[in-house]
Coordinates of all heavy atoms in Angstrom, one line a residue:
M230 N 1.5 -50.0 -18.7 CA 1.7 -49.8 -17.2 C 3.2 -49.9 -16.9 O 3.8 -50.9 -17.3 CB 0.9 -50.8 -16.5 CG 1.1 -50.7 -15.0 SD 0.5 -52.2 -14.1 CE -1.0 -51.7 -13.5
T231 N 3.7 -49.0 -16.1 CA 5.1 -49.1 -15.8 C 5.2 -49.1 -14.2 O 4.3 -48.6 -13.5 CB 5.9 -47.9 -16.3 OG1 5.4 -46.7 -15.8 CG2 6.0 -47.9 -17.8
T232 N 6.3 -49.6 -13.7 CA 6.6 -49.7 -12.3 C 7.6 -48.6 -11.9 O 8.6 -48.4 -12.6 CB 7.1 -51.1 -11.9 OG1 6.1 -52.0 -12.3 CG2 7.3 -51.2 -10.4
V233 N 7.4 -47.9 -10.9 CA 8.3 -47.0 -10.4 C 9.2 -47.7 -9.4 O 8.7 -48.4 -8.4 CB 7.6 -45.8 -9.6 CG1 8.7 -44.8 -9.1 CG2 6.7 -45.1 -10.6
T234 N 10.5 -47.6 -9.6 CA 11.5 -48.3 -8.8 C 12.2 -47.4 -7.7 O 12.1 -46.2 -7.9 CB 12.6 -49.0 -9.6 OG1 13.4 -47.9 -10.2 CG2 12.0 -49.9 -10.6
R235 N 12.8 -48.0 -6.7 CA 13.5 -47.2 -5.8 C 14.7 -46.4 -6.5 O 14.9 -45.3 -6.2 CB 14.2 -48.1 -4.8 CG 13.2 -48.7 -3.8 CD 14.0 -49.6 -2.8 NE 13.0 -50.2 -1.9 CZ 13.3 -50.6 -0.7 NH1 14.5 -50.5 -0.2 NH2 12.4 -51.1 0.1
A236 N 15.3 -47.0 -7.5 CA 16.4 -46.4 -8.2 C 15.8 -45.1 -9.0 O 16.5 -44.1 -9.0 CB 17.0 -47.3 -9.2
Q237 N 14.6 -45.2 -9.5 CA 14.1 -44.1 -10.2 C 13.7 -42.9 -9.3 O 13.9 -41.8 -9.5 CB 12.8 -44.5 -11.0 CG 13.1 -45.4 -12.2 CD 11.8 -46.0 -12.8 OE1 10.9 -46.3 -12.0 NE2 11.8 -46.2 -14.1
I238 N 13.2 -43.3 -8.1 CA 12.9 -42.3 -7.1 C 14.2 -41.6 -6.6 O 14.2 -40.4 -6.5 CB 12.1 -42.9 -5.9 CG1 10.7 -43.4 -6.4 CG2 11.9 -41.9 -4.8 CD1 10.0 -44.2 -5.4
A239 N 15.2 -42.5 -6.3 CA 16.5 -41.9 -5.9 C 17.1 -41.0 -6.9 O 17.6 -39.9 -6.6 CB 17.5 -43.0 -5.5
E240 N 16.9 -41.3 -8.2 CA 17.4 -40.5 -9.3 C 16.7 -39.2 -9.4 O 17.3 -38.1 -9.6 CB 17.3 -41.3 -10.6 CG 17.9 -40.6 -11.8 CD 19.5 -40.4 -11.7 OE1 20.1 -41.1 -11.1 OE2 20.0 -39.4 -12.4
H241 N 15.4 -39.2 -9.1 CA 14.6 -38.1 -9.1 C 15.0 -37.1 -7.9 O 15.0 -35.9 -8.1 CB 13.1 -38.4 -9.0 CG 12.2 -37.2 -9.2 ND1 11.9 -36.6 -10.4 CD2 11.4 -36.5 -8.3 CE1 11.1 -35.6 -10.3 NE2 10.8 -35.5 -9.0
I242 N 15.2 -37.7 -6.8 CA 15.7 -36.9 -5.6 C 17.0 -36.3 -6.0 O 17.3 -35.0 -5.8 CB 15.9 -37.8 -4.4 CG1 14.5 -38.2 -3.9 CG2 16.6 -37.0 -3.3 CD1 14.6 -39.4 -2.8
Y243 N 17.9 -37.0 -6.6 CA 19.2 -36.5 -7.1 C 19.0 -35.3 -8.0 O 19.7 -34.2 -7.8 CB 20.0 -37.6 -7.8 CG 21.2 -37.1 -8.6 CD1 22.3 -36.7 -8.0 CD2 21.1 -37.1 -10.0 CE1 23.4 -36.2 -8.8 CE2 22.1 -36.7 -10.8 CZ 23.3 -36.2 -10.2 OH 24.3 -35.7 -11.0
S244 N 18.2 -35.4 -9.0 CA 18.0 -34.4 -10.0 C 17.3 -33.1 -9.4 O 17.5 -32.0 -9.9 CB 17.3 -34.9 -11.2 OG 16.0 -35.3 -11.0
E245 N 16.3 -33.3 -8.5 CA 15.6 -32.2 -8.0 C 16.2 -31.5 -6.8 O 16.1 -30.3 -6.6 CB 14.2 -32.7 -7.6 CG 13.3 -33.2 -8.7 CD 12.9 -32.0 -9.7 OE1 12.6 -30.9 -9.1 OE2 13.0 -32.2 -10.9
V246 N 16.8 -32.3 -5.9 CA 17.4 -31.7 -4.7 C 18.8 -31.4 -4.8 O 19.2 -30.4 -4.1 CB 17.1 -32.7 -3.5 CG1 17.6 -32.2 -2.2 CG2 15.7 -33.0 -3.4
G247 N 19.6 -32.1 -5.6 CA 20.9 -31.8 -5.7 C 21.9 -32.5 -4.8 O 23.1 -32.2 -4.8
L248 N 21.4 -33.5 -4.1 CA 22.3 -34.3 -3.3 C 23.0 -35.3 -4.3 O 22.6 -35.4 -5.4 CB 21.4 -35.2 -2.3 CG 20.6 -34.5 -1.3 CD1 19.8 -35.5 -0.5 CD2 21.6 -33.8 -0.3
S249 N 24.1 -35.9 -3.8 CA 24.7 -36.9 -4.7 C 23.9 -38.1 -4.9 O 22.9 -38.2 -4.2 CB 26.1 -37.3 -4.0 OG 25.8 -38.2 -2.9
R250 N 24.2 -38.9 -5.8 CA 23.3 -40.1 -6.1 C 23.3 -41.0 -4.9 O 22.3 -41.5 -4.5 CB 23.8 -40.8 -7.4 CG 23.4 -40.1 -8.7 CD 23.8 -41.1 -9.9 NE 23.1 -40.6 -11.0 CZ 23.6 -39.7 -11.8 NH1 24.8 -39.1 -11.6 NH2 22.9 -39.3 -12.9
H251 N 24.5 -41.1 -4.3 CA 24.6 -42.0 -3.1 C 23.8 -41.4 -1.9 O 23.0 -42.2 -1.3 CB 26.1 -42.1 -2.7 CG 26.3 -43.0 -1.5 ND1 26.1 -44.4 -1.6 CD2 26.6 -42.8 -0.2 CE1 26.3 -44.9 -0.4 NE2 26.6 -44.0 0.5
E252 N 23.9 -40.1 -1.7 CA 23.1 -39.5 -0.6 C 21.5 -39.6 -0.9 O 20.8 -39.8 0.0 CB 23.5 -38.0 -0.5 CG 24.9 -37.8 0.1 CD 25.3 -36.3 0.0 OE1 24.9 -35.6 -0.9 OE2 26.1 -35.9 0.9
S253 N 21.2 -39.4 -2.2 CA 19.8 -39.5 -2.5 C 19.2 -40.9 -2.3 O 18.1 -41.1 -1.7 CB 19.6 -39.2 -4.0 OG 20.0 -37.9 -4.3
A254 N 20.0 -41.9 -2.6 CA 19.6 -43.3 -2.4 C 19.5 -43.6 -0.9 O 18.6 -44.2 -0.4 CB 20.6 -44.3 -3.0
D255 N 20.5 -43.0 -0.1 CA 20.5 -43.2 1.4 C 19.3 -42.5 2.0 O 18.7 -43.1 2.9 CB 21.8 -42.7 2.0 CG 23.0 -43.5 1.8 OD1 22.8 -44.7 1.3 OD2 24.1 -43.1 2.0
L256 N 19.0 -41.3 1.5 CA 17.8 -40.6 2.0 C 16.5 -41.4 1.8 O 15.7 -41.6 2.7 CB 17.7 -39.2 1.4 CG 16.5 -38.4 1.7 CD1 16.4 -38.1 3.2 CD2 16.4 -37.2 0.8
L257 N 16.4 -41.9 0.6 CA 15.2 -42.7 0.2 C 15.1 -43.9 1.1 O 14.0 -44.2 1.7 CB 15.2 -43.1 -1.2 CG 14.1 -44.0 -1.6 CD1 12.7 -43.4 -1.4 CD2 14.3 -44.5 -3.1
E258 N 16.2 -44.6 1.3 CA 16.2 -45.8 2.2 C 15.9 -45.5 3.6 O 15.1 -46.2 4.2 CB 17.6 -46.5 2.1 CG 17.8 -47.3 0.8 CD 16.7 -48.2 0.4 OE1 16.3 -49.0 1.3 OE2 16.3 -48.2 -0.8
S259 N 16.4 -44.4 4.1 CA 16.0 -43.9 5.5 C 14.6 -43.7 5.7 O 14.0 -44.1 6.7 CB 16.8 -42.7 5.8 OG 18.2 -42.9 5.9
V260 N 14.0 -43.0 4.7 CA 12.5 -42.7 4.8 C 11.7 -44.0 4.8 O 10.8 -44.2 5.6 CB 12.1 -41.8 3.7 CG1 10.6 -41.7 3.6 CG2 12.7 -40.4 3.8
L261 N 12.1 -44.9 3.8 CA 11.3 -46.2 3.7 C 11.5 -47.0 5.0 O 10.6 -47.7 5.4 CB 11.7 -46.9 2.5 CG 11.4 -46.2 1.1 CD1 12.0 -47.0 0.0 CD2 9.9 -46.0 1.0
E262 N 12.7 -47.1 5.5 CA 13.0 -47.8 6.7 C 12.2 -47.2 7.9 O 11.6 -48.0 8.7 CB 14.5 -47.8 7.1 CG 15.3 -48.7 6.2 CD 16.8 -48.6 6.4 OE1 17.2 -47.9 7.3 OE2 17.5 -49.1 5.6
L263 N 12.1 -45.9 8.0 CA 11.3 -45.3 9.1 C 9.8 -45.7 9.0 O 9.2 -46.0 10.0 CB 11.5 -43.8 9.0 CG 10.6 -43.0 10.0 CD1 11.1 -43.3 11.5 CD2 10.8 -41.5 9.8
I264 N 9.3 -45.6 7.8 CA 7.9 -45.9 7.6 C 7.7 -47.4 7.9 O 6.8 -47.8 8.7 CB 7.5 -45.7 6.1 CG1 7.4 -44.2 5.9 CG2 6.1 -46.3 5.8 CD1 7.3 -43.8 4.4
A265 N 8.6 -48.3 7.5 CA 8.4 -49.7 7.7 C 8.5 -50.0 9.2 O 7.7 -50.8 9.8 CB 9.4 -50.5 6.9
A266 N 9.4 -49.4 9.9 CA 9.6 -49.6 11.4 C 8.4 -49.2 12.1 O 7.9 -49.8 13.1 CB 10.8 -48.9 11.8
R267 N 7.8 -48.0 11.8 CA 6.6 -47.6 12.4 C 5.4 -48.5 12.2 O 4.6 -48.8 13.1 CB 6.2 -46.1 12.0 CG 7.2 -45.1 12.4 CD 7.4 -45.0 13.9 NE 8.5 -44.2 14.3 CZ 8.5 -43.0 14.8 NH1 7.3 -42.4 14.9 NH2 9.5 -42.4 15.1
L268 N 5.3 -49.0 11.0 CA 4.2 -49.9 10.6 C 4.4 -51.2 11.4 O 3.4 -51.8 11.9 CB 4.1 -50.1 9.2 CG 3.6 -48.9 8.4 CD1 3.8 -49.1 6.9 CD2 2.1 -48.6 8.7
E269 N 5.6 -51.7 11.5 CA 6.0 -52.9 12.2 C 5.5 -52.8 13.7 O 5.1 -53.8 14.3 CB 7.4 -53.2 12.1 CG 7.9 -54.5 12.6 CD 9.3 -54.8 12.4 OE1 10.1 -53.9 12.0 OE2 9.7 -56.0 12.7
K270 N 5.6 -51.6 14.3 CA 5.2 -51.4 15.6 C 3.7 -51.2 15.8 O 3.2 -51.0 16.9 CB 5.9 -50.1 16.2 CG 7.3 -50.2 16.4 CD 7.8 -48.9 16.9 CE 9.4 -49.0 17.1 NZ 9.9 -47.6 17.6
G271 N 2.9 -51.3 14.6 CA 1.5 -51.1 14.7 C 1.0 -49.6 14.6 O -0.1 -49.4 14.8
E272 N 2.0 -48.7 14.4 CA 1.6 -47.3 14.3 C 1.1 -47.0 12.9 O 1.3 -47.6 12.0 CB 2.8 -46.5 14.7 CG 3.4 -46.7 16.1 CD 4.7 -45.9 16.3 OE1 4.9 -44.9 15.6 OE2 5.4 -46.2 17.3
T273 N 0.4 -45.8 12.9 CA -0.2 -45.3 11.7 C 0.8 -44.3 11.1 O 1.4 -43.5 11.9 CB -1.5 -44.7 11.9 OG1 -2.5 -45.7 12.4 CG2 -2.1 -44.0 10.6
V274 N 1.1 -44.4 9.8 CA 2.0 -43.4 9.1 C 1.1 -42.5 8.2 O 0.5 -43.0 7.2 CB 3.0 -44.0 8.3 CG1 3.9 -43.1 7.6 CG2 3.9 -44.9 9.3
K275 N 1.0 -41.2 8.5 CA 0.2 -40.3 7.7 C 1.2 -39.3 6.9 O 2.0 -38.7 7.5 CB -0.7 -39.5 8.6 CG -1.6 -38.6 7.9 CD -2.5 -38.0 9.0 CE -3.6 -37.1 8.3 NZ -4.5 -36.6 9.3
L276 N 1.0 -39.3 5.6 CA 1.8 -38.5 4.7 C 0.8 -37.4 4.2 O 0.0 -37.8 3.3 CB 2.5 -39.2 3.6 CG 3.4 -40.3 4.0 CD1 3.9 -41.1 2.8 CD2 4.6 -39.7 4.8
S277 N 0.9 -36.2 4.7 CA -0.1 -35.2 4.3 C -0.2 -35.0 2.8 O 0.9 -34.9 2.1 CB 0.3 -33.9 5.0 OG -0.6 -32.9 4.7
G278 N -1.3 -35.0 2.3 CA -1.5 -34.8 0.8 C -1.3 -36.0 0.0 O -1.5 -36.0 -1.2
F279 N -0.9 -37.1 0.6 CA -0.7 -38.4 -0.1 C -1.6 -39.5 0.4 O -2.4 -40.0 -0.3 CB 0.8 -38.8 0.1 CG 1.1 -40.0 -0.8 CD1 1.3 -39.9 -2.1 CD2 1.4 -41.2 -0.2 CE1 1.6 -41.0 -2.9 CE2 1.7 -42.3 -0.9 CZ 1.8 -42.2 -2.3
G280 N -1.5 -39.8 1.8 CA -2.4 -40.8 2.3 C -1.9 -41.4 3.6 O -0.9 -40.8 4.1
T281 N -2.6 -42.4 4.1 CA -2.3 -42.9 5.4 C -2.1 -44.4 5.3 O -2.9 -45.1 4.7 CB -3.4 -42.7 6.4 OG1 -3.7 -41.2 6.4 CG2 -3.2 -43.2 7.7
F282 N -1.0 -44.9 5.9 CA -0.7 -46.3 5.9 C -1.1 -46.8 7.3 O -0.7 -46.1 8.3 CB 0.8 -46.6 5.7 CG 1.3 -46.3 4.3 CD1 1.8 -45.1 4.0 CD2 1.2 -47.3 3.3 CE1 2.2 -44.8 2.7 CE2 1.6 -47.0 2.0 CZ 2.2 -45.7 1.7
S283 N -1.7 -47.9 7.5 CA -2.0 -48.4 8.8 C -2.0 -49.9 8.8 O -2.1 -50.6 7.7 CB -3.3 -47.9 9.3 OG -4.4 -48.2 8.5
V284 N -1.9 -50.6 9.9 CA -2.0 -52.0 10.1 C -3.2 -52.4 10.7 O -3.6 -51.8 11.8 CB -0.7 -52.5 10.9 CG1 -0.8 -54.0 11.1 CG2 0.6 -52.1 10.3
R285 N -4.0 -53.3 10.1 CA -5.2 -53.8 10.6 C -5.1 -55.3 11.0 O -4.4 -56.0 10.3 CB -6.3 -53.6 9.6 CG -7.7 -53.9 10.2 CD -8.9 -53.7 9.3 NE -8.6 -52.8 8.2 CZ -9.2 -52.9 7.0 NH1 -10.1 -53.8 6.7 NH2 -8.9 -52.0 6.0
Q286 N -5.7 -55.6 12.1 CA -5.6 -57.0 12.5 C -6.9 -57.7 12.0 O -8.0 -57.2 12.3 CB -5.6 -57.1 14.1 CG -4.4 -56.4 14.7 CD -3.1 -57.0 14.2 OE1 -2.9 -58.1 14.1 NE2 -2.2 -56.0 14.0
K287 N -6.7 -58.9 11.4 CA -7.8 -59.7 10.9 C -7.9 -60.9 11.8 O -6.9 -61.5 12.1 CB -7.6 -60.1 9.5 CG -7.7 -58.9 8.5 CD -7.7 -59.5 7.1 CE -9.1 -59.3 6.5 NZ -9.1 -59.6 5.1
G288 N -9.0 -61.2 12.3 CA -9.2 -62.3 13.2 C -9.3 -63.6 12.5 O -9.4 -63.7 11.2
R289 N -9.3 -64.7 13.3 CA -9.5 -66.0 12.8 C -10.9 -66.2 12.1 O -11.9 -65.6 12.6 CB -9.3 -67.1 13.9 CG -9.4 -68.5 13.5 CD -9.3 -69.4 14.7 NE -9.7 -70.7 14.4 CZ -8.9 -71.7 14.0 NH1 -7.6 -71.4 14.0 NH2 -9.3 -72.9 13.7
R290 N -10.9 -66.8 11.0 CA -12.2 -67.0 10.3 C -12.2 -68.3 9.5 O -11.1 -69.0 9.4 CB -12.5 -65.9 9.4 CG -11.5 -65.6 8.3 CD -11.8 -64.2 7.6 NE -10.7 -64.0 6.7 CZ -10.8 -64.2 5.4 NH1 -11.9 -64.8 4.9 NH2 -9.8 -63.9 4.5
V291 N -13.3 -68.8 9.1 CA -13.3 -70.0 8.3 C -13.5 -69.7 6.9 O -14.3 -68.9 6.4 CB -14.6 -70.8 8.8 CG1 -14.7 -72.1 8.0 CG2 -14.4 -71.2 10.2
G292 N -12.6 -70.3 6.0 CA -12.8 -70.1 4.6 C -13.1 -71.4 4.0 O -13.3 -72.4 4.6
R293 N -13.3 -71.3 2.6 CA -13.7 -72.6 1.9 C -12.9 -72.7 0.7 O -12.6 -71.8 -0.1 CB -15.2 -72.4 1.5 CG -15.8 -73.7 1.0 CD -17.3 -73.4 0.7 NE -18.1 -72.9 1.8 CZ -18.6 -73.7 2.8 NH1 -18.4 -75.0 2.7 NH2 -19.3 -73.2 3.8
N294 N -12.3 -74.0 0.5 CA -11.6 -74.3 -0.7 C -12.5 -74.2 -1.9 O -13.5 -75.0 -1.9 CB -10.9 -75.6 -0.5 CG -10.1 -76.0 -1.7 OD1 -10.4 -75.7 -2.9 ND2 -9.0 -76.7 -1.4
P295 N -12.3 -73.4 -2.9 CA -13.2 -73.2 -4.0 C -13.3 -74.5 -4.8 O -14.4 -74.8 -5.4 CB -12.7 -72.1 -4.8 CG -11.3 -71.8 -4.3 CD -11.2 -72.4 -3.0
K296 N -12.3 -75.3 -4.9 CA -12.3 -76.5 -5.7 C -13.1 -77.6 -5.0 O -13.9 -78.3 -5.6 CB -10.9 -77.0 -6.0 CG -10.2 -76.3 -7.1 CD -8.9 -77.0 -7.5 CE -8.3 -76.2 -8.6 NZ -7.0 -76.9 -9.0
T297 N -12.8 -77.8 -3.8 CA -13.4 -79.0 -3.0 C -14.6 -78.6 -2.2 O -15.4 -79.5 -1.8 CB -12.4 -79.6 -2.1 OG1 -12.0 -78.7 -1.1 CG2 -11.2 -80.1 -2.9
G298 N -14.7 -77.3 -1.8 CA -15.8 -76.9 -0.9 C -15.6 -77.2 0.5 O -16.4 -76.9 1.4
I299 N -14.4 -77.7 0.8 CA -14.0 -78.0 2.2 C -13.7 -76.8 3.0 O -13.0 -75.9 2.5 CB -12.8 -79.1 2.3 CG1 -13.2 -80.3 1.6 CG2 -12.4 -79.3 3.7 CD1 -12.1 -81.3 1.4
E300 N -14.2 -76.7 4.2 CA -13.9 -75.5 5.1 C -12.5 -75.7 5.7 O -12.1 -76.8 6.0 CB -14.9 -75.4 6.2 CG -16.3 -75.0 5.8 CD -17.2 -74.8 6.9 OE1 -16.9 -75.0 8.0 OE2 -18.4 -74.3 6.6
V301 N -11.8 -74.6 5.6 CA -10.4 -74.5 6.2 C -10.3 -73.3 7.1 O -10.9 -72.2 6.8 CB -9.4 -74.5 5.1 CG1 -9.2 -75.8 4.4 CG2 -9.6 -73.4 4.1
P302 N -9.6 -73.4 8.2 CA -9.4 -72.2 9.1 C -8.4 -71.2 8.5 O -7.4 -71.7 7.9 CB -9.0 -72.8 10.4 CG -8.3 -74.1 10.0 CD -9.0 -74.6 8.8
I303 N -8.7 -70.0 8.6 CA -7.8 -68.9 8.2 C -7.3 -68.3 9.5 O -8.1 -67.7 10.2 CB -8.4 -67.9 7.2 CG1 -8.9 -68.7 5.9 CG2 -7.4 -66.8 6.9 CD1 -9.7 -67.8 5.0
L304 N -6.0 -68.3 9.7 CA -5.5 -67.9 11.0 C -5.5 -66.3 11.0 O -5.5 -65.6 10.0 CB -4.1 -68.4 11.1 CG -3.9 -69.9 11.1 CD1 -2.4 -70.3 11.2 CD2 -4.6 -70.5 12.3
P305 N -5.5 -65.8 12.2 CA -5.3 -64.3 12.5 C -4.0 -63.8 11.8 O -3.0 -64.5 11.8 CB -5.3 -64.1 14.0 CG -5.7 -65.4 14.6 CD -5.5 -66.5 13.5
R306 N -4.2 -62.6 11.3 CA -3.0 -62.0 10.7 C -3.1 -60.4 10.7 O -4.2 -59.9 10.9 CB -2.8 -62.5 9.3 CG -3.9 -62.2 8.4 CD -3.8 -62.9 7.1 NE -5.1 -62.6 6.3 CZ -5.1 -62.3 5.0 NH1 -4.0 -62.3 4.3 NH2 -6.3 -62.1 4.5
S307 N -2.0 -59.8 10.4 CA -2.0 -58.4 10.2 C -2.0 -58.0 8.8 O -1.3 -58.7 8.0 CB -0.7 -57.8 10.9 OG -0.7 -58.1 12.2
V308 N -2.7 -57.0 8.3 CA -2.7 -56.6 7.0 C -2.4 -55.2 6.9 O -2.8 -54.4 7.8 CB -4.1 -56.9 6.2 CG1 -4.3 -58.4 6.1 CG2 -5.2 -56.3 7.0
L309 N -1.7 -54.7 5.8 CA -1.3 -53.3 5.6 C -2.4 -52.7 4.8 O -2.8 -53.3 3.8 CB 0.0 -53.2 4.9 CG 0.6 -51.9 4.6 CD1 0.8 -51.2 5.9 CD2 1.9 -52.0 3.8
V310 N -2.8 -51.5 5.2 CA -3.9 -50.8 4.6 C -3.4 -49.5 4.1 O -2.7 -48.8 5.0 CB -5.1 -50.7 5.5 CG1 -6.2 -49.9 4.8 CG2 -5.6 -52.0 5.9
F311 N -3.7 -49.0 2.9 CA -3.4 -47.7 2.5 C -4.6 -47.0 2.1 O -5.4 -47.5 1.4 CB -2.4 -47.7 1.3 CG -2.2 -46.3 0.7 CD1 -1.4 -45.4 1.4 CD2 -2.7 -45.9 -0.5 CE1 -1.2 -44.1 0.9 CE2 -2.5 -44.7 -1.0 CZ -1.7 -43.8 -0.3
R312 N -4.8 -45.8 2.7 CA -6.0 -45.0 2.4 C -5.5 -43.7 1.7 O -4.9 -42.8 2.4 CB -6.8 -44.7 3.7 CG -8.0 -43.9 3.4 CD -9.0 -44.0 4.6 NE -10.2 -43.4 4.2 CZ -10.6 -42.2 4.6 NH1 -9.9 -41.5 5.5 NH2 -11.8 -41.6 4.2
P313 N -5.7 -43.4 0.5 CA -5.3 -42.2 -0.2 C -6.0 -41.0 0.3 O -7.1 -41.1 0.7 CB -5.5 -42.5 -1.7 CG -6.6 -43.5 -1.7 CD -6.5 -44.3 -0.5
S314 N -5.3 -39.9 0.3 CA -5.9 -38.6 0.7 C -6.8 -38.1 -0.4 O -6.8 -38.7 -1.6 CB -4.8 -37.5 0.9 OG -4.2 -37.2 -0.4
Q315 N -7.7 -37.2 -0.1 CA -8.6 -36.6 -1.1 C -7.8 -36.0 -2.2 O -8.2 -36.1 -3.4 CB -9.4 -35.5 -0.4 CG -10.5 -36.0 0.5 CD -11.3 -34.9 1.1 OE1 -10.9 -33.7 1.2 NE2 -12.5 -35.2 1.6
I316 N -6.7 -35.4 -1.9 CA -5.8 -34.7 -2.9 C -5.3 -35.8 -3.9 O -5.4 -35.6 -5.1 CB -4.7 -33.9 -2.3 CG1 -5.3 -32.8 -1.5 CG2 -3.7 -33.5 -3.3 CD1 -4.3 -32.1 -0.6
L317 N -4.8 -36.9 -3.4 CA -4.2 -38.0 -4.3 C -5.4 -38.6 -5.1 O -5.1 -38.8 -6.3 CB -3.5 -39.1 -3.5 CG -2.9 -40.2 -4.2 CD1 -1.9 -39.7 -5.3 CD2 -2.3 -41.2 -3.3
R318 N -6.5 -38.8 -4.5 CA -7.7 -39.3 -5.2 C -8.0 -38.4 -6.4 O -8.3 -38.9 -7.5 CB -8.8 -39.5 -4.3 CG -9.1 -40.9 -4.0 CD -10.4 -41.1 -3.2 NE -10.0 -41.7 -1.9 CZ -10.4 -41.3 -0.7 NH1 -11.2 -40.3 -0.6 NH2 -10.0 -42.0 0.3
A319 N -8.1 -37.1 -6.1 CA -8.4 -36.2 -7.1 C -7.5 -36.2 -8.2 O -7.8 -36.2 -9.4 CB -8.6 -34.8 -6.5
V320 N -6.1 -36.1 -7.9 CA -5.1 -36.2 -9.0 C -5.2 -37.5 -9.8 O -5.1 -37.4 -11.1 CB -3.7 -36.1 -8.3 CG1 -2.6 -36.3 -9.3 CG2 -3.5 -34.7 -7.6
V321 N -5.4 -38.6 -9.2 CA -5.5 -39.8 -9.9 C -6.7 -39.9 -10.9 O -6.6 -40.4 -12.0 CB -5.5 -41.0 -9.0 CG1 -5.9 -42.3 -9.7 CG2 -4.1 -41.2 -8.3
N322 N -7.7 -39.2 -10.4 CA -9.0 -39.2 -11.2 C -9.1 -38.1 -12.2 O -10.1 -37.8 -12.8 CB -10.2 -39.2 -10.3 CG -10.4 -40.5 -9.6 OD1 -10.3 -41.6 -10.2 ND2 -10.7 -40.4 -8.3
G323 N -8.0 -37.3 -12.3 CA -7.9 -36.1 -13.2 C -8.8 -35.0 -12.8 O -9.2 -34.2 -13.7
E324 N -9.2 -34.9 -11.5 CA -10.1 -33.9 -11.0 C -9.2 -32.7 -10.5 O -8.0 -32.8 -10.2 CB -11.0 -34.4 -9.9 CG -11.8 -35.6 -10.4 CD -12.5 -36.3 -9.2 OE1 -12.3 -35.9 -8.1 OE2 -13.3 -37.2 -9.5
S325 N -9.9 -31.6 -10.3 CA -9.2 -30.4 -9.7 C -9.0 -30.6 -8.2 O -9.8 -31.1 -7.6 CB -10.1 -29.2 -9.9 OG -9.6 -28.1 -9.2
T326 N -7.8 -30.1 -7.8 CA -7.5 -30.2 -6.3 C -7.8 -28.9 -5.7 O -7.6 -28.7 -4.5 CB -6.0 -30.6 -6.1 OG1 -5.2 -29.6 -6.7 CG2 -5.7 -32.0 -6.7
E327 N -8.3 -27.9 -6.5 CA -8.7 -26.6 -5.9 C -9.7 -26.7 -4.8 O -10.7 -27.5 -4.9 CB -9.2 -25.7 -7.0 CG -9.4 -24.3 -6.6 CD -9.8 -23.4 -7.7 OE1 -9.2 -23.6 -8.8 OE2 -10.7 -22.6 -7.5
G328 N -9.5 -26.1 -3.7 CA -10.4 -26.2 -2.6 C -10.2 -27.4 -1.6 O -10.8 -27.4 -0.6
L329 N -9.3 -28.3 -2.0 CA -9.0 -29.4 -1.2 C -7.9 -29.0 -0.2 O -6.9 -28.4 -0.7 CB -8.6 -30.6 -1.9 CG -9.6 -31.3 -2.8 CD1 -9.0 -32.5 -3.5 CD2 -10.8 -31.8 -2.0
V330 N -8.1 -29.3 1.1 CA -7.1 -28.9 2.1 C -6.2 -30.1 2.4 O -6.8 -31.2 2.5 CB -7.8 -28.4 3.3 CG1 -6.8 -28.1 4.4 CG2 -8.7 -27.2 3.0
S331 N -4.9 -29.9 2.5 CA -4.1 -31.0 2.9 C -4.5 -31.6 4.2 O -5.0 -30.8 5.1 CB -2.6 -30.7 2.8 OG -2.3 -29.9 4.0
E332 N -4.3 -32.9 4.5 CA -4.8 -33.6 5.6 C -4.2 -32.9 6.9 O -4.8 -32.9 7.9 CB -4.4 -35.0 5.6 CG -5.1 -35.7 4.6 CD -4.6 -37.2 4.4 OE1 -3.6 -37.6 5.0 OE2 -5.2 -37.9 3.6
S333 N -3.0 -32.4 6.9 CA -2.4 -31.7 8.1 C -3.1 -30.4 8.5 O -3.0 -30.0 9.6 CB -0.9 -31.5 7.9 OG -0.7 -30.5 6.9
D334 N -3.9 -29.9 7.5 CA -4.6 -28.6 7.9 C -6.0 -28.9 8.4 O -6.7 -27.9 8.6 CB -4.7 -27.8 6.6 CG -3.4 -27.3 6.1 OD1 -2.4 -27.3 6.9 OD2 -3.2 -27.0 4.9
D335 N -6.3 -30.1 8.6 CA -7.7 -30.5 9.1 C -7.9 -30.3 10.6 O -8.9 -30.5 11.1 CB -8.0 -31.9 8.8 CG -8.2 -32.2 7.3 OD1 -8.4 -31.2 6.6 OD2 -8.3 -33.4 6.9
S336 N -6.9 -29.8 11.3 CA -7.0 -29.7 12.8 C -8.2 -29.1 13.3 O -8.7 -28.2 13.0 CB -5.7 -29.0 13.4 OG -4.6 -29.1 12.6

């Protein structure tokens, strides 16, 4: 298992698009900052053919310490959720993407 880094993505942008390495890194950072800013505001970010990022609110609930069995309160919080598109799911599962329509074409 390998991890894809920002540097690797920026290098790929550099080699595919032809921007300078610095411009490629700046472009990547701008895109990631835009996505993060929208999620921070509670908005949904949909990348057609890839998936949807959204923020879900979890309410206060009671949990249990597994060692002691004592109940402890779990405070409300926001969680980030990613839902992959049908196309991404098919690619990851080695299935054909033929006949799948990108999410933006679902109108």
